[in-house]
Amino acid sequence: MVDIAHRAAIKGASASDATPPRARNLSDTAPLVPLVSVDLRQWQALSARAIEPNGYYLPPWELAVSATARGRTGAMALCAVDTSTQLIGLMPVVSLWRALKIPLPALASAHPYGTLCSPLLDRDTASEAAARLLDQAREAGAHALILRDVALDGAAMRSLAAILTSNGLKPSVLSSYMRASLDATQDGDTLLRAALGAKKLKELRRQRHRLEEHGPVMFDVARTPDTVKAALEAFLQLEASGWKGKRGTALIQHAGDATFIRRAAPALAETGQCEIINLRAGTTPVAAGLVLRHRDRAFFFKLGIDERFTKYSPGMQLTLDLTRHLCADPAIASADSTASADHPMINPVWRGRFAIGDVLIPLRRNDPVVALIKAALVARTAALDAARAALHLLRK
């Protein structure tokens, strides 16, 4: 049994671990295994059958994150298999110590850089998959699971909640917020008129005409591995040129992050699951973004703009084009902004909303350790809120 309360109990992954080993018999796995040891073909097959899409837990993305991304390496996995040893559930996790520096026996979602950690459950056996994942967590020695950034009303969370209820257990929502999403089944222009109104759209058209003074404005989408690889470099430069670069949070500023994204994006493009969107004025890139695709859902990962063109609203202009692009694609039914609450740019455009939150899942009835875990999480959140408030006062 793995002592999940301590960081040393979890084996780290090296950069060479990004390519998983050959297929192994899943029926022989321990309750908690290195993510890189999960059978790649089975993981890919599960992704295609997942009851709820999550582009950030697709194998090329999460394996690249776990191999080199700053602060996110060495993820483990809870794996659910059926009687024929087919993988029916996957939940990437780390110890609570690794996740939040709390030395208590719990597992937390491995954060895949994108803000969505809903586990992959087979749509045909979701209840069985959810039950087996919880069993695996118990066998690994966990007293609780902390699911971070999960869709609270999503199919995966509903499956887990149903199993908990049948076992006399109840999940606790630790925090939540409403996130912007796009109903891509609508006509793009109709949707934008309803969301923004004629006056705002007229102003955006005026800004776009002004932008054309710098050259013809073109929106294009890179889809193939080679074009994605080239477009990614332009995106990385744009992201680093703005406020993210000033704060030191741009992907290209950290070797591990740059390695992860340069590995993941072209690999996903091979299966049509990654696009780089670009807006140019003449030959000058003014905005770019990265979009993941999983089944019928798109995920707007990041946006970079050239701040010299801020007065033309380049981020908004790109988002308008992306909205039309996704609405015109019959394969896409919805898009997750993966943005923060009340995001000033995306929220006025994508008017759909869904609840995202952190959830504590107890694994045993009347377990006093779970109460300790919850108290530690609440205390940590309170301390962070107090620190942010103090910093805000100091900056005034």
Side-chain angles (χ1 to χ4, degrees):
M1 184 175 293
V2 179
D3 179 3
I4 59 173
H6 295 91
R7 184 173 187 169
I10 294 186
K11 173 183 176 288
S14 65
S16 62
D17 288 333
T19 301
R22 295 194 173 199
R24 60 186 291 175
N25 186 345
L26 286 171
S27 64
D28 296 332
T29 60
L32 192 62
V33 300
L35 190 68
V36 294
S37 71
V38 178
D39 184 287
L40 181 57
R41 286 172 295 181
Q42 291 236 36
W43 187 350
Q44 290 169 331
L46 172 61
S47 298
R49 303 190 310 272
I51 193 172
E52 181 180 340
N54 185 351
Y56 301 111
Y57 278 163
L58 290 170
W61 185 273
E62 176 57 4
L63 285 169
V65 169
S66 184
T68 68
R70 183 171 46 114
R72 294 170 170 85
T73 58
M76 305 293 282
L78 295 171
C79 297
V81 299
D82 63 14
T83 54
S84 65
T85 71
Q86 176 175 264
L87 185 67
I88 59 173
L90 179 72
M91 186 183 295
V93 294
V94 294
S95 71
L96 191 57
W97 173 255
R98 281 287 311 275
L100 302 173
K101 296 297 184 286
I102 296 176
L104 291 172
L107 292 167
S109 303
H111 216 280
Y113 229 107
T115 52
L116 186 66
C117 299
S118 299
L120 301 179
L121 304 179
D122 189 309
R123 62 175 178 263
D124 296 323
T125 56
S127 295
E128 180 185 356
R132 290 181 182 244
L133 286 175
L134 298 179
D135 287 342
Q136 293 292 85
R138 291 186 194 98
E139 290 181 28
H143 288 246
L145 282 173
I146 314 301
L147 301 187
R148 301 187 283 174
D149 289 325
V150 295
L152 297 179
D153 298 320
M157 191 63 234
R158 289 199 304 269
S159 297
L160 287 163
I163 294 301
L164 290 169
T165 298
S166 69
N167 291 329
L169 297 167
K170 184 179 180 181
S172 297
V173 177
L174 301 170
S175 62
S176 66
Y177 68 94
M178 301 304 291
R179 186 150 88 193
S181 63
L182 170 70
D183 177 1
T185 64
Q186 301 183 55
D187 173 74
D189 286 316
T190 302
L191 182 149
L192 290 172
R193 282 194 297 271
L196 296 172
K199 184 177 179 180
K200 180 62 176 178
L201 284 173
K202 182 178 179 181
E203 172 62 16
L204 288 165
R205 284 194 297 271
R206 184 192 69 80
Q207 292 176 343
R208 198 175 184 103
H209 291 321
R210 291 289 308 278
L211 184 58
E212 287 175 346
E213 295 172 6
H214 299 270
V217 176
M218 301 284 293
F219 170 76
D220 63 75
V221 182
R223 295 184 177 89
T224 67
D226 287 342
T227 58
V228 162
K229 190 178 297 184
L232 178 63
E233 295 307 314
F235 162 76
L236 292 173
Q237 293 298 328
L238 276 178
E239 187 194 33
S241 71
W243 63 268
K244 293 179 185 178
K246 294 182 180 71
R247 290 189 181 181
T249 60
L251 286 164
I252 202 171
Q253 292 177 299
H254 303 276
D257 291 349
T259 299
F260 126 67
I261 196 67
R262 284 170 172 151
R263 179 177 298 155
L268 284 170
E270 291 179 3
T271 52
Q273 293 176 307
C274 179
E275 299 176 339
I276 306 289
I277 54 173
N278 298 280
L279 189 70
R280 292 185 174 85
T283 59
T284 304
V286 297
L290 194 150
V291 179
L292 302 185
R293 300 163 67 104
H294 183 199
R295 300 191 61 190
D296 65 349
R297 191 170 301 168
F299 300 84
F300 195 0
F301 172 56
K302 275 184 179 290
L303 170 70
I305 66 169
D306 186 331
E307 293 185 353
R308 295 175 300 172
F309 297 90
T310 300
K311 63 183 178 181
Y312 308 119
S313 304
M316 179 71 84
Q317 301 286 355
L318 182 71
T319 301
L320 298 185
D321 285 327
L322 173 62
T323 301
R324 296 184 182 102
H325 167 63
L326 294 175
C327 287
D329 188 340
I332 297 297
S334 64
D336 180 351
S337 68
T338 62
S340 58
D342 302 318
H343 193 281
M345 189 277 290
I346 198 73
N347 279 29
V349 186
W350 291 7
R351 293 299 184 95
R353 298 291 183 267
F354 68 106
I356 287 285
D358 296 347
V359 180
L360 184 150
I361 292 180
L363 296 174
R364 297 170 179 81
R365 294 184 190 177
N366 304 316
D367 185 352
V369 177
V370 173
L372 288 175
I373 293 168
K374 185 173 182 179
L377 291 166
V378 170
R380 180 183 182 276
T381 299
L384 288 173
D385 289 344
R388 290 190 190 101
L391 184 60
H392 179 71
L393 289 173
L394 288 172
R395 286 177 172 173
K396 280 188 174 182

